[in-house]
Amino acid sequence: HDNIDANKEKYPNDGSSDFVFVVSTGDIPRLRQPCLLKENHCQAENFAPILQFGSVYSDESFFPSMIAMPQPVRPHTPCFEEWHREGTICKDLQPIAMTP
């Protein structure tokens, strides 16, 4: 949410109360070849925000709405389920306590 708030100019509100985003994970985001060749990259600037858990393209013009997220330490689906079910952050995504 903070990342989205910090990038409001990328995600204009069309007056709807709905907020849609995509969750993706993998070594490299999938992009169809024709979208690589077109000047506007298949109008990717109009895509919903994409939370990419894994590698992202260094050239943001391919996916301007993609937000780099931490590499998953295990399949991230159980963490989303825990958040949805219990409202807690799974242990794997919590900061590690530093001891002096």
Side-chain angles (χ1 to χ4, degrees):
H1 186 264
D2 290 338
N3 201 330
I4 304 275
D5 282 345
N7 294 287
K8 283 185 178 180
E9 69 280 354
K10 285 187 179 180
Y11 317 112
N13 183 345
D14 65 356
S16 171
S17 62
D18 293 336
F19 181 73
V20 177
F21 63 94
V22 178
V23 176
S24 175
T25 185
D27 291 336
I28 189 165
R30 184 174 180 181
L31 188 61
R32 295 180 312 122
Q33 185 178 5
C35 293
L36 289 170
L37 305 175
K38 293 182 178 183
E39 185 175 310
N40 68 358
H41 304 297
C42 294
Q43 299 179 349
E45 70 276 2
N46 296 325
F47 290 179
I50 303 167
L51 305 181
Q52 172 65 24
F53 291 85
S55 301
V56 298
Y57 292 111
S58 59
D59 182 349
E60 289 185 8
S61 69
F62 291 117
F63 279 115
S65 65
M66 185 168 284
I67 300 169
M69 302 300 288
Q71 288 278 8
V73 290
R74 62 179 174 145
H76 60 280
T77 307
C79 290
F80 286 127
E81 181 182 0
E82 180 178 330
W83 175 260
H84 178 73
R85 192 172 16 89
E86 299 174 23
T88 58
I89 299 171
C90 69
K91 184 179 179 206
D92 292 332
L93 296 179
Q94 293 183 11
I96 298 172
M98 302 298 287
T99 55

